[in-house]
Amino acid sequence: LEPLVANDLKTTEIVTVPPNMPVASIARLLAERGISSAPVTSLNGELLGIVTEADLLRRLAGANEGPVSWLRSLFRNADKQANSYARTHGMVAQDVMTKNVISVGPEATAEHCAHLMEHHSIKRLPVITDGRLIGVVSRSDLLIAMLEPPVRIGTSQTSDMAIRVELRREIQKQPWAGSLYSVNRVENGVVTLYGFVRSDAIRRGLCVLAGRIAGVVKVDD
């Protein structure tokens, strides 16, 4: 089976907003639709940025901040201060939106999308082609990828000898495995692990690793 990519997973029914949409209208839109963000696009579909709940909350919180003291202003970057002021007090989408949007192309794998969401702590990834927004991949969309059976390690050769060879090779690739004091036996597709390991975490990892080898029907720890 071909791996799922962003083009397979994306949602094309996207709620977008124009750059001149008032902030109050955006807040109402997100609340009514039950969504956490809305891409900001031009008339031809070019992605300009994204307005998130965090952007709107930052604006609300910033309204309670007082002016920066003269002394503190000496040690702050003027451009950062100006950008912060614009995003805090902006009246329309283009003022408060996040411009540096993490996005993917249509051929990005599900695994890559999941990595970006985890690394950047975001819930949605715009899918872009030639600068134009063609869809959005959300965390719930990625759950579809989980419905596919996990990829097995190895080849179509599933004899006990082939399993032993593949298992040994995979263990040697993992720096945490430390198999010096542990051995394995394979009989009729059943892998038996025994010996000594440094921790329960390594023990668990070895069991999962063994279960991923093509041809393994059971792992006895």
Side-chain angles (χ1 to χ4, degrees):
L1 294 176
E2 291 294 325
L4 290 174
V5 296
N7 202 48
D8 304 318
L9 299 166
K10 72 180 187 296
T11 299
T12 55
E13 296 180 1
I14 319 164
V15 177
T16 63
V17 299
N20 61 347
M21 187 171 185
V23 169
S25 298
I26 299 173
R28 185 179 301 109
L29 177 68
L30 297 186
E32 291 177 350
R33 297 295 186 93
I35 54 179
S36 59
S37 62
V40 182
T41 58
S42 63
L43 291 176
N44 63 358
E46 179 186 2
L47 181 66
L48 305 176
I50 189 167
V51 177
T52 67
E53 292 173 329
D55 294 323
L56 299 180
L57 289 175
R58 183 185 300 110
R59 183 179 185 278
L60 184 63
N64 197 41
E65 293 180 356
V68 177
S69 68
W70 174 80
L71 183 61
R72 285 182 62 195
S73 67
L74 293 178
F75 300 97
R76 296 183 66 181
N77 181 285
D79 288 344
K80 288 184 177 180
Q81 291 182 64
N83 284 330
S84 177
Y85 182 89
R87 296 186 68 181
T88 300
H89 300 282
M91 302 296 290
V92 296
Q94 63 185 358
D95 296 331
V96 302
M97 70 184 182
T98 298
K99 294 182 179 180
N100 297 324
V101 182
I102 307 298
S103 61
V104 294
E107 297 307 313
T109 64
E111 291 79 7
H112 181 60
C113 291
H115 170 75
L116 289 177
M117 288 186 186
E118 179 73 15
H119 182 71
H120 295 282
S121 298
I122 53 180
K123 298 179 180 179
R124 291 181 163 199
L125 280 172
V127 183
I128 307 298
T129 295
D130 297 328
R132 294 180 62 252
L133 181 68
I134 61 171
V136 170
V137 174
S138 67
R139 290 181 177 181
S140 59
D141 295 324
L142 286 179
L143 292 179
I144 298 174
M146 298 296 295
L147 298 178
E148 289 201 342
V151 177
R152 290 280 191 150
I153 299 171
T155 65
S156 57
Q157 296 292 327
T158 57
S159 66
D160 289 346
M161 178 59 72
I163 292 173
R164 274 193 291 270
V165 171
E166 202 62 52
L167 180 57
R168 188 179 305 114
R169 181 183 295 126
E170 188 63 23
I171 287 176
Q172 290 173 347
K173 287 166 55 178
Q174 304 300 330
W176 51 265
S179 60
L180 183 61
Y181 302 108
S182 61
V183 292
N184 62 79
R185 183 176 70 245
V186 183
E187 188 174 347
N188 297 323
V190 177
V191 176
T192 302
L193 301 174
Y194 56 96
F196 301 92
V197 290
R198 292 191 300 273
S199 68
D200 281 341
I202 294 176
R203 171 179 158 276
R204 178 186 179 192
L206 287 172
C207 289
V208 171
L209 185 153
R212 294 184 62 204
I213 306 299
V216 172
V217 296
K218 183 182 177 183
V219 178
D220 280 338
D221 174 21

